[in-house]
């Protein structure tokens, strides 16, 4: 299009083949302009999943020699990004960007520079990264019988993602164990989320009320064997990305259970369901106790035992980076005084009863032996009478 009255030439839908020398003739005047054309292409039409690496192709065409270009990239947060140059020719530059995060969505800038001829050109391009606002791996601690809600915050509404995608929530107790699908979900192009429960052997709920663009699972009464990895996975056009939450469950117990008698001992045990990171450990301590009432676990220990001989409130803490992540309490009751007296009395009474039974047995044995001897003498007397070995006086 030629715009009057300034004699401007507008070239629409510019292509590489449009590069060249353009001459404007007016009367006896001629003005020549050299047009250098750049074409920037990003893979997958700029739609990526978290942790994917985009490919960027910059092509150039010019009526003169093609200059050696210096390329600098700036992400959506105006941070400088150094691309990996995979292939280079005078006309084409093929680069790999960094591994994308969910926060990288937005407008990026490719800055092209040349000294001869002098070129300073900024080319903007859009990047959309579908993913999680959670870290790739998160650890969460819970006490046995407590209520736990695990959440994954998706960014599809924040970045105005206009394509439908699917996903699922899986659980496995440990690496190498079988994976159980808890539920799957799909998000329409209009941004509507639909969830479908799959597992019936696992006690969990899908909360009805939750923050927007959030995937949640609720464990109303967590068991020790509910620990493990909960993985939320997104799928778009056959590609996948995921975010994991590792649930670590803690419990405390006593052996023997029940009140602590005077002079007796008890073992308190604090245990977690999985390995702890190197900067985490367990600690037993007696509330309002002394330093002697504190015991810490060693690195990588998942069970901590403490032998006690005093009643009181004992607490087990899981400490990570000097921060108490979770605490469980165990109240050790002292047996009442009358119970101790009953125990002592029962012991003494039992001893006396045993002694009395022993005496009774001895007396009974003696009497039984005497009766047996008497019966034996009478039998002998009868025998003598029958044999007429004795005389009887006549009355």
């Amino acid at each position: 299009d030629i715009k009057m009255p300034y004699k401007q030439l507008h070239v629409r839908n510019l292509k590489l083949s449009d590069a060249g020398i353009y001459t404007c003739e007016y009367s006896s005047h001629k003005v020549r302009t050299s047009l250098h054309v750049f074409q920037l292409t990003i893979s997958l039409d700029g739609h990526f999943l978290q942790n994917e690496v985009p490919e960027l192709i910059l092509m150039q065409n010019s009526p003169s020699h093609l200059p050696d270009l210096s390329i600098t990239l700036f992400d959506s947060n105006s941070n400088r990004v150094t691309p990996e140059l995979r292939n280079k020719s005078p006309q084409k530059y093929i680069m790999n960007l960094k591994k994308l995060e969910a926060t990288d969505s937005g407008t990026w800038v490719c800055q092209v520079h040349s000294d001869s001829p002098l070129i300073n050109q900024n080319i903007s391009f859009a990047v959309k990264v579908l993913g999680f606002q959670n870290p790739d791996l998160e650890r969460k601690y819970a006490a046995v019988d407590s209520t736990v809600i695990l959440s994954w915050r998706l960014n599809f509404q924040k970045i105005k993602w206009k394509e439908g995608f699917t996903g699922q929530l899986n659980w496995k107790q440990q690496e190498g164990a079988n994976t159980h699908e808890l539920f799957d979900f799909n998000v329409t192009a209009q941004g509507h989320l639909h969830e479908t429960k799959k597992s019936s052997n696992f006690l969990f709920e899908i909360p009805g009320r939750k923050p927007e663009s959030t995937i949640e699972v609720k464990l109303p009464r967590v068991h020790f064997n509910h620990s493990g990895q909960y993985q939320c996975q997104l799928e778009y056009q056959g590609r996948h990305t995921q975010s994991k939450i590792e649930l670590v469950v803690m419990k405390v117990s006593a052996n023997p259970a029940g009140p602590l008698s005077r002079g007796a001992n008890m073992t308190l045990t604090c245990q977690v369901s999985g390995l702890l990171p190197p900067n985490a450990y367990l600690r037993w301590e007696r509330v309002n106790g002394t330093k002697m009432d504190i015991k810490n676990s060693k690195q990588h220990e998942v069970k901590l035992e403490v032998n006690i001989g005093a009643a009181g409130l004992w607490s087990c803490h899981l400490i990570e980076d000097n921060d108490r992540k979770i605490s469980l309490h165990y109240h050790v009751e002292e047996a009442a005084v009358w119970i101790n007296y009953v125990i002592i009395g029962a012991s003494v009474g039992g001893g006396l009863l045993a002694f009395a039974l022993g005496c009774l047995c001895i007396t009974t044995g003696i009497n039984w032996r005497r009766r047996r001897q008497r019966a034996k003498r009478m039998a002998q007397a009868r025998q003598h009478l029958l044999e007429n070995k004795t005389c009887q006086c006549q009355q």
Side-chain angles (χ1 to χ4, degrees):
D1 296 340
I2 299 177
K3 299 293 183 180
M4 302 296 286
Y6 304 105
K7 306 300 185 293
Q8 292 179 346
L9 175 66
H10 284 222
V11 182
R12 302 181 185 277
N13 300 320
L14 198 64
K15 302 183 292 292
L16 282 173
S17 58
D18 292 326
I21 297 175
Y22 290 76
T23 303
C24 179
E25 296 184 8
Y26 181 71
S27 185
S28 60
H29 301 283
K30 290 185 179 181
V31 178
R32 289 181 173 85
T33 300
S34 177
L35 178 62
H36 193 126
V37 179
F38 294 100
Q39 178 180 297
L40 184 68
T41 306
I42 187 169
S43 58
L44 300 174
D45 197 28
H47 287 67
F48 301 96
L49 294 179
Q50 188 173 327
N51 294 321
E52 289 185 330
V53 178
E55 181 184 76
L56 203 64
I57 300 176
L58 178 66
M59 299 184 69
Q60 64 171 338
N61 194 13
S62 172
S64 57
H65 78 281
L66 296 176
D68 189 25
L69 301 177
S70 171
I71 301 172
T72 306
L73 294 175
F74 295 92
D75 65 14
S76 58
N77 300 306
S78 299
N79 298 316
R80 184 170 180 167
V81 177
T82 302
E84 175 193 353
L85 187 60
R86 284 177 42 211
N87 198 352
K88 176 183 175 183
S89 67
Q91 188 180 18
K92 181 186 291 188
Y93 294 74
I94 302 177
M95 299 162 284
N96 281 344
L97 303 188
K98 66 171 187 173
K99 186 181 288 188
L100 294 177
E101 302 174 3
T103 54
D104 288 327
S105 296
T107 302
W108 289 50
V109 174
C110 177
Q111 190 177 82
V112 181
H113 174 77
S114 170
D115 291 327
S116 178
L118 183 60
I119 299 174
N120 283 302
Q121 183 71 34
N122 289 337
I123 307 172
S124 61
F125 59 98
V127 173
K128 287 189 176 183
V129 186
L130 178 64
F132 304 90
Q133 298 181 59
N134 305 53
D136 287 347
L137 178 60
E138 187 178 353
R139 185 176 286 105
K140 189 177 181 68
Y141 300 106
V144 164
D145 294 333
S146 64
T147 297
V148 176
I149 296 179
L150 305 178
S151 300
W152 289 264
R153 301 179 304 279
L154 308 183
N155 68 341
F156 64 92
Q157 290 189 338
K158 182 179 180 180
I159 65 175
K160 299 179 180 179
W161 185 274
K162 299 300 182 183
E163 305 287 337
F165 63 94
T166 60
Q168 59 186 23
L169 183 66
N170 301 320
W171 168 77
K172 61 181 178 181
Q173 196 163 32
Q174 59 187 4
E175 287 294 338
N178 293 331
T179 299
H180 303 271
E181 183 181 356
L182 303 185
F183 63 85
D184 61 19
F185 59 91
N186 68 83
V187 178
T188 66
Q190 292 74 34
H192 301 304
L193 173 64
H194 304 281
E195 296 159 317
T196 304
K197 197 170 183 179
K198 292 291 183 179
S199 176
S200 59
N201 300 324
F202 194 94
L203 184 61
F204 72 95
E205 300 173 6
I206 302 176
R209 293 185 177 182
K210 55 188 174 183
E212 200 174 37
S213 306
T214 301
I215 302 296
E216 284 189 346
V217 60
K218 178 180 179 181
L219 307 178
R221 189 174 180 182
V222 66
H223 297 168
F224 196 69
N225 58 2
H226 286 168
S227 63
Q229 290 184 355
Y230 292 78
Q231 175 182 277
C232 186
Q233 178 176 281
L234 304 182
E235 180 177 350
Y236 173 68
Q237 294 184 349
R239 293 134 52 203
H240 303 83
T241 187
Q242 60 272 331
S243 173
K244 297 178 183 178
I245 297 179
E246 183 178 353
L247 179 62
V248 178
V249 182
M250 187 170 76
K251 66 178 181 179
V252 294
S253 59
N255 185 27
L260 181 64
S261 301
R262 185 177 301 174
N265 288 322
M266 177 184 290
T267 300
L268 299 180
T269 302
C270 181
Q271 186 175 357
V272 291
S273 58
L275 292 177
L276 297 176
N279 57 340
Y281 61 94
L282 300 173
R283 168 180 289 177
W284 268 118
E285 67 177 6
R286 185 184 179 190
V287 178
N288 297 326
T290 65
K291 291 184 178 180
M292 299 296 293
D293 297 322
I294 296 177
K295 185 178 180 180
N296 295 332
S297 67
K298 298 178 182 178
Q299 195 175 44
H300 302 307
E301 280 188 338
V302 297
K303 182 192 295 186
L304 179 63
E305 294 181 345
V306 60
N307 294 317
I308 63 169
L313 182 62
W314 290 80
S315 298
C316 180
H317 309 290
L318 195 160
I319 302 174
E320 185 178 37
D321 289 329
N322 297 321
D323 180 28
R324 291 183 181 180
K325 295 295 183 180
I326 187 172
S327 297
L328 276 178
H329 308 290
Y330 195 95
H331 187 218
V332 180
E333 296 181 353
E334 186 176 6
V337 176
W338 67 270
I339 293 179
N340 289 327
Y341 288 156
V342 167
I343 295 173
I344 296 172
S347 300
V348 174
L352 292 175
L353 179 61
F355 178 75
L357 289 174
C359 293
L360 180 62
C361 290
I362 293 172
T363 305
T364 302
I366 293 173
N367 291 335
W368 178 77
R369 191 169 60 180
R370 287 176 179 174
R371 285 197 301 269
R372 187 174 180 183
Q373 290 176 349
R374 188 182 300 116
K376 187 176 181 182
R377 286 197 299 270
M378 291 180 67
Q380 289 176 349
R382 288 194 205 94
Q383 187 68 24
H384 288 304
L385 287 173
L386 292 174
E387 295 177 357
N388 295 319
K389 291 183 179 181
T390 58
C391 59
Q392 293 182 351
C393 297
Q394 296 184 352
Q395 294 182 357

